[in-house]
Amino acid sequence: LAAIQQDPDALQYASDSLRRCREVVAAAVEGAGSSLQFADPSLWEDRSFLLPAVKRDGRLLRLAPAGIQDRELVLEAVRQDADALEFASESMRADKEVVLCSVSSSGENLRLACKELQEDRDVVMAAIKFDGLALQYAAPSLRQDRQIVLQAVRQHGCALEFACEELRRDRDVVWQAVNKTPRSLNLALGGLQDDSELEDLARDVRCRIQETGK
């Protein structure tokens, strides 16, 4: 036990009986949540071990059987590491609070949400505020939504690629995209790629980025 307290990862070298010992595993998890992966798998079903472990390393949610995953456990995991949503059960990927927590810190995780939440305006808006390119995972109906698309291209101009064709022909939308990311002009439709004012804007923004870095 003293050795585990000094070096929690030493649990991986412990005997099978020690890796099943609740006291030993508890000491290891208290020192380093990641040590839970070395415990006997029977303890992965015990929330008294899982909860403190995911608070330290959200990706340890991968050890939790779907049947014992609840909102508290999964929320703690995605708060610690937004990408832990990858290991959430299907029902938890359909939980709006859980998904909002994840996509607010990693917009790309919208791809992991259930179809219904990819159609949810609040969830999609949270995702694209963090990463405009998350627009690609939004439902088609929201990729036709001018407000949603404007928010996305203001965060990353190349999100224009994932907007509906009508909005890729919308000069104001394209202007916002180019003002953020000059190369996004190549994604415009309806002859806007040859618009002289947009070309001037792209050139000016490139110069600004070279001078200021943003």
Side-chain angles (χ1 to χ4, degrees):
L1 184 59
I4 295 295
Q5 290 173 330
Q6 184 175 357
D7 180 10
D9 286 342
L11 184 64
Q12 64 184 303
Y13 306 113
S15 66
D16 290 346
S17 60
L18 287 177
R19 290 192 289 114
R20 287 193 297 268
C21 176
R22 298 178 64 85
E23 182 181 5
V24 170
V25 173
V29 170
E30 183 177 355
S34 60
S35 63
L36 182 62
Q37 63 188 306
F38 306 123
D40 187 85
S42 63
L43 297 181
W44 296 348
E45 300 182 14
D46 190 322
R47 292 183 83 261
S48 66
F49 293 113
L50 278 168
L51 193 56
V54 300
K55 285 182 178 180
R56 292 170 177 262
D57 181 352
R59 295 181 69 84
L60 289 174
L61 185 64
R62 68 184 185 275
L63 303 179
I68 68 165
Q69 290 188 20
D70 58 25
R71 180 180 290 176
E72 180 187 15
L73 181 68
V74 179
L75 271 176
E76 290 293 352
V78 298
R79 283 172 182 153
Q80 199 286 321
D81 186 336
D83 293 340
L85 185 64
E86 177 183 355
F87 306 108
S89 64
E90 185 175 346
S91 64
M92 288 294 99
R93 293 189 195 190
D95 186 295
K96 184 172 180 176
E97 184 179 0
V98 167
V99 173
L100 269 173
C101 183
S102 177
V103 301
S104 296
S105 298
S106 183
E108 185 180 349
N109 287 339
L110 182 61
R111 65 186 172 85
L112 301 171
C114 69
K115 181 180 178 181
E116 288 74 18
L117 291 180
Q118 291 175 345
E119 299 171 345
D120 186 287
R121 189 179 183 83
D122 295 335
V123 171
V124 171
M125 187 64 81
I128 62 175
K129 282 183 177 179
F130 185 88
D131 181 358
L133 296 178
L135 183 65
Q136 65 188 292
Y137 304 114
S141 61
L142 292 180
R143 288 189 271 130
Q144 299 171 14
D145 185 303
R146 196 170 191 275
Q147 184 180 0
I148 291 284
V149 171
L150 278 171
Q151 179 64 53
V153 300
R154 285 169 180 156
Q155 200 288 322
H156 197 306
C158 288
L160 184 64
E161 176 181 359
F162 308 110
C164 68
E165 291 189 4
E166 179 182 353
L167 291 177
R168 291 173 67 183
R169 294 188 181 95
D170 185 309
R171 192 172 189 277
D172 291 337
V173 171
V174 174
W175 184 281
Q176 294 293 332
V178 174
N179 194 44
K180 180 66 177 181
T181 312
R183 68 180 184 276
S184 65
L185 182 57
N186 296 325
L187 302 170
L189 299 177
L192 291 177
Q193 291 185 19
D194 300 320
D195 184 299
S196 60
E197 290 185 355
L198 287 170
E199 289 177 335
D200 288 345
L201 175 64
R203 183 182 61 251
D204 291 345
V205 174
R206 279 193 291 268
C207 291
R208 184 191 72 202
I209 292 172
Q210 289 175 352
E211 292 174 359
T212 67
K214 59 182 180 180

